[in-house]
């Protein structure tokens, strides 16, 4: 039973480029969450999605960031025109019902040069 | 007041001792409570969840919930150096909120 999958595990982008991070939830899970974590800091909630719908995007910056979870395929977190401050670990988590425990993927480490 | 508060630590305990990690939350309507462990450079890993007042034991871990005091704790018995990590408390009311985590260091 595969867990939450994220790819790529490491991503290097130059300033101004776009970053696309992918997340496939656990089998049977339709709720996906994205978090950002800076070194030595806590998890920061970004966005919560359920198939084809954004439920809560209160933690996502208004500009340059977007997320989707299409009917088919993985959830995508997209960062346009990346800046050095976007360098962080981005974790995806999934849950079955939205009120139960979340399971985390291994994360994508984004480095902006 | 933060919605989920944890002492950032570090909490240092000797090997074999009991480590006690605490978490308080502000929303009285919270229904679900979770503890995660995160090793440096890794993703959070679910350790336990608890929904009802009282204690819940799983191996060396015991989660304790007191809804009246809005308090949830995690006890780790017979602490091992491999338990050294950051422990995250998460609380769900209408959404899941994570605390900032407590760093635990178990000295050999």
């Amino acid at each position: 039973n595969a867990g939450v999958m994220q790819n790529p595990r490491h991503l290097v982008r130059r300033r101004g480029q776009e970053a696309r991070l992918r997340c496939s939830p656990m089998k049977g899970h339709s709720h996906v969450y994205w978090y950002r974590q800076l070194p030595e800091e806590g998890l920061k909630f970004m966005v919560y999605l359920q198939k084809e719908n954004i439920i809560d995007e209160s933690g996502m910056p208004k500009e340059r960031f977007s997320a989707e979870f299409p009917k088919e395929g993985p959830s995508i977190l997209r960062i346009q025109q990346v800046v050095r401050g976007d360098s962080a670990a981005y974790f995806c988590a999934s849950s079955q019902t939205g009120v139960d425990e979340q399971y985390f993927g291994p994360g994508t480490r984004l480095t902006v040069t | 007041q933060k919605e989920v508060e944890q002492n950032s630590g570090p909490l240092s305990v000797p090997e074999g001792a009991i480590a006690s990690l605490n978490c308080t939350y502000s929303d009285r309507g919270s229904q679900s409570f979770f503890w995660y462990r995160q090793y440096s450079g890794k993703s959070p890993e679910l350790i336990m969840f608890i929904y009802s007042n009282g204690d819940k034991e799983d191996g060396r871990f015991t989660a304790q919930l007191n809804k009246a005091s809005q308090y949830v704790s995690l006890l780790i018995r017979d602490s091992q150096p491999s338990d050294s990590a950051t422990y995250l408390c998460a609380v769900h009311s209408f959404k899941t909120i994570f605390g900032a985590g407590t760093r635990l260091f178990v000295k050999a």
Side-chain angles (χ1 to χ4, degrees), chain A residues 4 26 29 31-35 43 45 47-48 91-105, chain B residues 32-36 44-49 51 90-92 94-98:
Chain A
V4 179
M26 283 180 72
H29 288 192
H31 300 258
V32 166
Y33 313 80
W34 285 94
Y35 297 87
L43 283 175
F45 168 79
V47 62
Y48 163 30
F91 293 105
C92 166
S94 73
S95 73
Q96 190 171 29
T97 68
V99 299
D100 56 344
E101 63 273 19
Q102 297 178 21
Y103 293 90
F104 283 80
Chain B
S32 310
F33 307 85
F34 311 94
W35 282 100
Y36 290 81
E45 171 193 10
L46 180 70
I47 300 174
M48 293 189 71
F49 55 85
Y51 301 136
V91 175
H92 183 91
F94 65 94
K95 68 177 185 179
T96 300
I97 307 291
F98 280 82

Side-chain angles (χ1 to χ4, degrees), chain A:
Chain A
N1 185 14
V4 179
M5 297 170 64
Q6 290 186 250
N7 66 80
R9 296 288 302 275
H10 300 275
L11 182 61
V12 180
R13 284 287 178 265
R14 290 201 180 100
R15 279 179 297 170
Q17 291 185 318
E18 178 180 288
R20 280 187 175 234
L21 288 62
R22 294 174 187 77
C23 170
S24 295
M26 283 180 72
K27 187 176 180 181
H29 288 192
S30 60
H31 300 258
V32 166
Y33 313 80
W34 285 94
Y35 297 87
R36 178 164 64 177
Q37 188 173 42
L38 295 170
E40 304 302 317
E41 293 191 10
L43 283 175
K44 181 175 170 18
F45 168 79
M46 298 183 74
V47 62
Y48 163 30
L49 309 102
Q50 188 183 5
K51 279 292 186 182
E52 300 186 90
N53 294 306
I54 296 176
I55 308 300
D56 180 356
E57 55 182 350
S58 59
M60 201 144 75
K62 295 283 186 277
E63 297 180 353
R64 302 189 298 109
F65 285 74
S66 62
E68 62 177 8
F69 189 14
K71 189 176 180 181
E72 301 291 336
S75 175
I76 307 282
L77 178 68
R78 184 180 176 210
I79 311 173
Q80 296 178 288
Q81 299 176 311
V82 295
V83 300
R84 287 224 172 101
D86 296 333
S87 296
Y90 292 83
F91 293 105
C92 166
S94 73
S95 73
Q96 190 171 29
T97 68
V99 299
D100 56 344
E101 63 273 19
Q102 297 178 21
Y103 293 90
F104 283 80
T108 294
R109 270 84 180 158
L110 172 65
T111 302
V112 179
T113 62

Side-chain angles (χ1 to χ4, degrees), chain A residues 99, chain B residues 1-5 23-34 50-53 65-72 89-98:
Chain A
V99 299
Chain B
Q1 181 189 4
K2 290 183 182 176
E3 293 173 274
V4 178
E5 289 207 55
C23 174
T24 58
Y25 59 94
S26 60
D27 187 343
R28 283 195 170 276
S30 299
Q31 296 294 322
S32 310
F33 307 85
F34 311 94
I50 185 168
Y51 301 136
S52 304
N53 272 331
L65 175 60
N66 184 327
K67 289 187 179 180
S69 300
Q70 295 174 241
Y71 176 95
V72 57
C89 168
V91 175
H92 183 91
S93 53
F94 65 94
K95 68 177 185 179
T96 300
I97 307 291
F98 280 82

